[in-house]
Amino acid sequence: MSDRLLEVRDLATTFATAGGPLPAVGGVSFDLNQNETLGIVGESGSGKTVLSRTIMGLQPRTNVTVSGSARLNGFEVVGASEEAKRGIWGTEVAMVFQDPMTSLNPVMRIGKQIDEVLRVRLGMDKAAAKARAIELLELVGIPSPVERYRAYPGQLSGGMRQRVVIAIALACSPKLLMADEPTTGLDVTIQAQILNLLDRLKSQLQMSVILVTHDLGVVATRTSRIIVMYAGRVVETGSTRDVFQNHRMPYTRALLESSPKVASHSHTRLQAIPGRPPNLMKLTAGCAFAPRCAYATERCHRERPELTAAEGPGHAFACWNPLPTTRGAS
Amino acid sequence: MARYLIRRVVMLVGIVFVISVGAFYLIHLLPGDPAVVILGTGDSPQNRAILFKELGLNKPIWDQYFIWMRNILHGNLGTSFISQTSVAGTIRAALPIDLELIVLSQILAFATAIPAAMRSARKPDGPLDRVLGATSFTLLSIPPFIIIVLLVLFIAIKLQIPHTGPSSYVSFSSDWIGNLESLALPAFTLAIASFVVYYRVLRSDLIATLQEEFITLARSKGLSSRRIMWRHAFRPSSVALLGTAGVNIGGLLASGFVVQYLLAIPGLGYTLISAIAQSDYLLVQGIVLVVSVGVIVINFLFDFIINLVDPRISRE
Ligand SMILES: Nc1ncnc2c1ncn2[C@@H]1O[C@H](COP(=O)(O)OP(=O)(O)O)[C@@H](O)[C@H]1O
Ligand code: SF4
Ligand SMILES: [Mg+2]
C-alpha cells in the first residue's frame, strides 16, 4: 500500500526579523507515503528545522509568515488555528527534538511528562496513564522503567533523555514521526542505538518517519528517499540510492564528502564544504550555492536553477552544470 | 537534598548566633552603664539589685551572654523596668498583627502579580503588557508612605469608610470583620510594593522560559496554552520570584513599620518606635532579636521552597 500521508506544496516560511524578512524556507514540495522513511539533509542553517516545524504547524506564534500547503492525512496545516492543530499534534504527528538536554522540562519528573500527554490527549485516568507510561519507557529501552518513572531529566544521560523524548512522541501513536537531528548531541555509540531504536519502532508501530540530519551517513541505510536542502530550498531529491550514487548537484557531493561515515567508507578524505552558508537575507537571483561552487558559471550567478528531473524515479536536481550521471556507467 | 538541608541548617544556626550576639551587645553599645541603659526611668536601688541578679551584670561579658541566651531559650526576654511588663508578652501581643499584615499583603500581591505576569508574557510588548509595564513603573516610583496617606485621605476621610482611618485598629478576637477592615488599607499599600516587584521578576522569567525548547515540545504534545503556562512555564520561572519574595520580606516589615506608625496600628513596628521614644531598650533589644531571627528564618524557608520547586538547585 502506498497511501499518501503527507503532501507538501510550495511551502515557504519567512521570519520578520529586525534586519528585515528572513526566508528560512522557500518553496518546498514533496510527498510522503504511509510507512515510508524520508531523509531531509542539509548543512546547519539550511532550514531543516524550520521546514519540519512548519510541516506540523509548530513554528513560533509571532513574526512568522507561512505560505503554500502542507496536508497531513487530509488536514491542511497551513493557516490552521493553534486549537485545530492541537488536534493533530501528538496523535497524527509528533516530533523528536534535536537536543534532549533542553527539550525536556527540567523540573518535572519524566513519568509525569509522559503521563500528561496520555491523560490530556487520550483521556486516560491516572493509573492507566502511569501503567502506559511505564510500558512506553520499556518500549524505548529504558532499564528499570518503574524507578526511572520518578526521575528528573537531570538524573539521566543524554541518550536516556532522548529515549524519554521518543517515548513522549510515541505516546499517542502518531502516524508521522518527525525526528529532527535526534542524535546530533549524542556520543557516537549512543547515536547508533537511538537510530536503531527509531528503525525498530517504525516497523513495530507502522509509522512514517521524517529523519532530519546534517550528516548523510545517518540516513544512508535508513531512508528510502532523501531531500537535500540548501538555503531553504530543495536542491536535489531522489531515492537514497540515487542521491548517494548518482547525485548531480555539486552541493550534494560536497555534503557526502563532509560526512564522516560516508567519507571513511569510500576512503576519500573528509572535507568540510568550503566557504560559509549564505546569508538568507541577502540571497541573489542566482543559485544560492554559486559563491562556494567550483562549477559555477556566469549563468549560475544570474539565474536560479529550478528542480529538473533526472533519470531515476523521482530523482531531480537544481543545477545548471550538473555532475555527469553515473547511471548505467558501472 | 538531605545534605543540602543539613548544610543550610548549620548555616542558619550560625547566622542566628551572630544575630543574637549583635542584639545582646546592643545594650553595651549604647553610651553609659548598661544597668542605667536598661533601667532608664525605672532606675532605683531595688530594680538595680534585681537586674544585677537576673543578668549577672557583675560577671564577665561572655557569662552575661550565656545567662541572657539561657533566658531567651526559656522564652524569657526580660521585664521592662519602664512599662513593668514582660518583653516577651508585649512582643507576643504585637507580632500577630505584623504577621497578619504580611500574609494579607502577600496573598494580594501574588494573586495579582502571577496572572498579570502570565498575561504580559503571553504577548510581550502587546497592549496589555505595555499598560501593565507603565502601571508598575509608576507604582514603583511612589513610596508606600505616600500611598497610604493618599489612601487614608481618600477612603477613610473622604468616603468615611469605617475602621479605615488612623487609630481605628480593631483586634481580630473582638471583631474579625472590623479587624480585616482596619488592616485593609495597610495590607493593600504593602501589596502594591510587592506586586510591582513580583510582576516584573516573574514576567521577564516567564518570557525567557517560554522561549525554551521544552515549551515547544509541550506545545507539540497538543496541550492547551493555559496548561503549558501553569504546568510547564510557571514552575521553572518562579525561582527568582521566590528568591525575591524571601528578600522582600525584610523590606516589607520595614514598610509595615512605617505604615503602622502612621495609622497607630499596635504591631511590632509601632511598639518598636514607642519603645525607642521611651528609651525602653530591653524591649528594643527583644524586638530587634525577634525581627532579625524572623527575617532569617523566612529567608531560609523560601530557600527551602525554591529547592522543592527546582530540584536542579540542590543537586548541583
Ligand atoms: N525564530 C526564528 N526567527 C528568525 N530566524 C530564524 C528563526 N528560526 C530559524 N531562523 C533562521 O532560519 C534559518 C534556518 O534555520 P534552521 O531551520 O534551524 O536550520 P537547520 O535546522 O537546517 O540547521 C537560519 O538562518 C536561522 O537563523
Ligand atoms: S547551479 Fe551553478 S553554482 Fe549552483 S550548484 Fe550548479 S553549478 Fe554550482
Ligand atoms: Mg536544525
Side-chain angles (χ1 to χ4, degrees):
Chain A
M1 288 300 287
S2 65
D3 287 344
R4 182 81 24 103
L5 179 67
L6 174 68
E7 276 178 15
V8 178
R9 291 292 173 273
D10 285 323
L11 194 64
T13 312
T14 304
F15 294 105
T17 70
L22 185 147
V25 172
V28 169
S29 305
F30 67 89
D31 294 328
L32 179 71
N33 291 332
Q34 256 152 31
N35 298 331
E36 193 184 5
T37 303
L38 172 78
I40 298 182
V41 295
E43 270 180 301
S44 165
S46 57
K48 307 179 300 289
T49 297
V50 175
L51 173 63
S52 42
R53 289 191 186 189
T54 307
I55 289 170
M56 65 185 284
L58 198 61
Q59 67 276 3
R61 284 206 259 182
T62 50
N63 301 329
V64 58
T65 324
V66 177
S67 64
S69 152
R71 290 185 81 81
L72 181 73
N73 216 5
F75 177 89
E76 177 57 66
V77 175
V78 177
S81 69
E82 182 92 358
E83 205 180 337
K85 287 186 288 191
R86 261 176 230 143
I88 61 159
W89 287 340
T91 50
E92 296 282 320
V93 55
M95 180 170 274
V96 177
F97 289 69
Q98 174 164 350
D99 183 1
M101 296 308 186
T102 56
S103 57
L104 288 171
N105 187 334
V107 299
M108 196 189 260
R109 297 183 197 278
I110 60 164
K112 271 225 117 40
Q113 301 193 44
I114 304 173
D115 270 14
E116 178 182 50
V117 65
L118 295 166
R119 299 188 64 184
V120 172
R121 301 305 310 287
L122 303 181
M124 286 190 184
D125 65 30
K126 208 171 165 175
K130 180 171 180 180
R132 177 76 185 131
I134 290 169
E135 254 173 54
L136 282 163
L137 287 174
E138 206 160 5
L139 180 73
V140 297
I142 289 188
S144 29
V146 179
E147 290 83 65
R148 287 289 186 281
Y149 178 89
R150 290 184 56 75
Y152 285 100
Q155 297 167 322
L156 301 180
S157 68
M160 285 298 145
R161 289 192 212 188
Q162 195 61 304
R163 286 173 196 264
V164 174
V165 175
I166 294 171
I168 293 172
L170 296 178
C172 301
S173 322
K175 298 190 180 67
L176 171 59
L177 186 70
M178 304 260 208
D180 184 2
E181 311 229 21
T183 62
T184 301
L186 305 175
D187 292 346
V188 182
T189 47
I190 314 284
Q191 285 189 11
Q193 287 174 14
I194 296 286
L195 290 167
N196 292 339
L197 171 69
L198 285 172
D199 269 355
R200 171 169 69 82
L201 293 169
K202 184 215 164 243
S203 27
Q204 200 173 333
L205 306 174
Q206 304 276 303
M207 295 181 292
S208 302
V209 173
I210 292 183
L211 187 55
V212 175
T213 175
H214 65 276
D215 181 359
L216 267 167
V218 164
V219 291
T221 57
R222 304 175 198 275
T223 58
S224 52
R225 280 191 308 131
I226 290 178
I227 285 178
V228 180
M229 286 191 70
Y230 189 74
R233 290 176 180 273
V234 179
V235 293
E236 183 150 15
T237 173
S239 68
T240 302
R241 193 188 153 85
D242 274 335
V243 168
F244 270 82
Q245 288 167 15
N246 193 31
H247 44 267
R248 308 294 303 279
M249 163 85 186
Y251 171 66
T252 308
R253 165 161 299 172
L255 262 187
L256 276 164
E257 281 167 355
S258 72
S259 160
K261 284 186 201 149
V262 182
S264 67
H265 273 300
S266 58
H267 300 288
T268 49
R269 262 182 56 215
L270 187 62
Q271 277 176 331
I273 304 176
R276 284 202 282 143
N279 181 344
L280 294 173
M281 293 201 256
K282 293 190 185 137
L283 287 183
T284 59
C287 171
F289 192 53
R292 305 166 71 183
C293 181
Y295 304 85
T297 52
E298 191 262 335
R299 188 183 191 187
C300 303
H301 291 282
R302 202 162 24 84
E303 241 183 294
R304 189 173 59 225
E306 293 299 328
L307 275 177
T308 33
E311 296 105 320
H315 187 188
F317 58 88
C319 180
W320 295 126
N321 309 310
L323 302 167
T325 175
T326 55
R327 242 182 198 255
S330 55
Chain B
M1 190 66 171
R3 253 178 56 203
Y4 169 88
L5 259 183
I6 291 169
R7 228 174 35 221
R8 278 295 155 140
V9 169
V10 168
M11 236 169 91
L12 179 74
V13 170
I15 296 171
V16 167
F17 170 73
V18 172
I19 288 175
S20 72
V21 171
F24 166 76
Y25 211 65
L26 193 72
I27 300 286
H28 297 262
L29 278 178
L30 293 165
D33 178 358
V36 176
V37 169
I38 294 171
L39 291 167
T41 53
D43 199 350
S44 68
Q46 298 104 299
N47 282 349
R48 194 168 269 262
I50 297 170
L51 187 67
F52 266 71
K53 193 159 160 278
E54 251 184 31
L55 301 186
L57 281 185
N58 45 5
K59 294 188 179 155
I61 189 107
W62 276 110
D63 287 343
Q64 289 182 37
Y65 172 77
F66 286 118
I67 293 169
W68 181 76
M69 200 66 220
R70 187 171 345 111
N71 284 336
I72 286 176
L73 292 177
H74 286 98
N76 175 11
L77 291 167
T79 303
S80 160
F81 290 92
I82 290 149
S83 61
Q84 307 297 331
T85 50
S86 116
V87 170
T90 308
I91 291 177
R92 231 181 325 242
L95 183 63
I97 299 175
D98 291 76
L99 292 180
E100 191 184 347
L101 262 182
I102 288 180
V103 169
L104 285 177
S105 71
Q106 294 305 286
I107 289 175
L108 267 175
F110 279 113
T112 48
I114 293 172
M118 285 183 174
R119 266 168 223 177
S120 273
R122 198 160 294 204
K123 277 209 182 77
D125 285 329
L128 190 80
D129 185 37
R130 279 162 198 263
V131 169
L132 284 169
T135 311
S136 72
F137 192 76
T138 313
L139 290 174
L140 190 65
S141 54
I142 311 177
F145 67 88
I146 304 268
I147 293 179
I148 189 74
V149 167
L150 291 177
L151 282 174
V152 167
L153 279 178
F154 186 70
I155 292 181
I157 297 177
K158 190 135 187 288
L159 298 182
Q160 296 282 324
I161 310 259
H163 301 315
T164 55
S167 307
S168 53
Y169 174 74
V170 180
S171 77
F172 195 84
S173 50
S174 67
D175 167 11
W176 68 271
I177 295 179
N179 169 265
L180 284 180
E181 281 170 347
S182 65
L183 291 182
L185 290 190
F188 184 72
T189 305
L190 298 179
I192 287 177
S194 300
F195 165 85
V196 173
V197 181
Y198 298 166
Y199 163 76
R200 302 195 139 222
V201 169
L202 182 61
R203 172 193 174 273
S204 69
D205 282 357
L206 276 175
I207 290 175
T209 303
L210 288 172
Q211 312 279 330
E212 297 267 358
E213 196 75 334
F214 67 82
I215 296 294
T216 312
L217 188 139
R219 234 178 116 206
S220 83
K221 287 163 145 182
L223 309 178
S224 67
S225 320
R226 203 186 150 77
R227 190 179 178 97
I228 290 174
M229 187 62 94
W230 282 101
R231 295 291 175 95
H232 289 273
F234 181 48
R235 201 167 142 183
S237 308
S238 53
V239 169
L241 174 70
L242 288 169
T244 312
V247 173
N248 186 40
I249 297 288
L252 199 68
L253 270 168
S255 306
F257 285 6
V258 174
V259 169
Q260 285 175 16
Y261 183 70
L262 291 174
L263 294 189
I265 296 170
L268 278 183
Y270 188 77
T271 311
L272 176 68
I273 292 164
S274 332
I276 292 172
Q278 292 168 20
S279 307
D280 191 345
Y281 290 112
L282 221 46
L283 185 52
V284 172
Q285 183 184 49
I287 294 176
V288 167
L289 184 70
V290 167
V291 168
S292 321
V293 171
V295 168
I296 295 297
V297 169
I298 288 170
N299 267 301
F300 173 82
L301 284 179
F302 270 96
D303 221 73
F304 178 68
I305 297 171
I306 289 174
N307 278 283
L308 294 183
V309 164
D310 193 337
R312 286 172 297 181
I313 291 172
S314 58
R315 217 182 299 124
E316 270 152 19

